[in-house]
Amino acid sequence: MLESFRCTLQPGKSMSDLMQAIETWQGHAESLGLPFDVFMRTPIVSGSSVTHSYFVTHADATSYGSNISAWRTHPDTAAIDAMLAEVQSCTNTLWRSWQVISAD
């Protein structure tokens, strides 16, 4: 399962502000020990209004459900989500994905 987030910085916020928020987000995610990876993309050349995006990977639908439940029910998560919302605005989608071509 693949979560996809397309984001823009909030007015008056910078990538430096975002990176500070991401460090806090990363620390919280690691403290929960959840088995997912997050990849961030920032465009080098783009005609898009999106300033950055994320992909969050989960092994399968069951893992996604467990991960998101653990994230949403943890008492510290609401503050982390609020902090992220102060620096960015995102829309998200959930995708089913699989590997089509292997590098091996």
Side-chain angles (χ1 to χ4, degrees), residues 37-54:
D37 292 312
V38 180
F39 300 89
M40 181 178 175
R41 300 183 316 157
T42 56
I44 296 172
V45 176
S46 175
S48 172
S49 61
V50 172
T51 57
H52 58 288
S53 61
Y54 305 100

Side-chain angles (χ1 to χ4, degrees), residues 2-100:
L2 179 67
E3 291 180 274
S4 174
F5 297 83
R6 295 174 33 118
C7 308
T8 56
L9 292 172
Q10 294 285 19
K13 297 299 181 178
S14 68
M15 288 302 284
S16 178
D17 298 321
L18 177 62
M19 296 313 292
Q20 289 176 2
I22 287 173
E23 285 182 27
T24 303
W25 174 30
Q26 180 182 22
H28 181 57
E30 287 175 355
S31 73
L32 294 176
L34 300 177
F36 60 79
D37 292 312
V38 180
F39 300 89
M40 181 178 175
R41 300 183 316 157
T42 56
I44 296 172
V45 176
S46 175
S48 172
S49 61
V50 172
T51 57
H52 58 288
S53 61
Y54 305 100
F55 294 114
V56 183
T57 62
H58 305 271
D60 51 36
T62 301
S63 296
Y64 167 77
S66 297
N67 292 343
I68 202 70
S69 292
W71 179 264
R72 289 185 177 159
T73 58
H74 191 279
D76 296 338
T77 297
I80 303 293
D81 287 345
M83 176 203 56
L84 289 166
E86 286 181 26
V87 296
Q88 66 185 0
S89 174
C90 300
T91 58
N92 69 312
T93 55
L94 181 63
W95 303 80
R96 181 174 51 116
S97 66
W98 59 92
Q99 186 173 11
V100 177

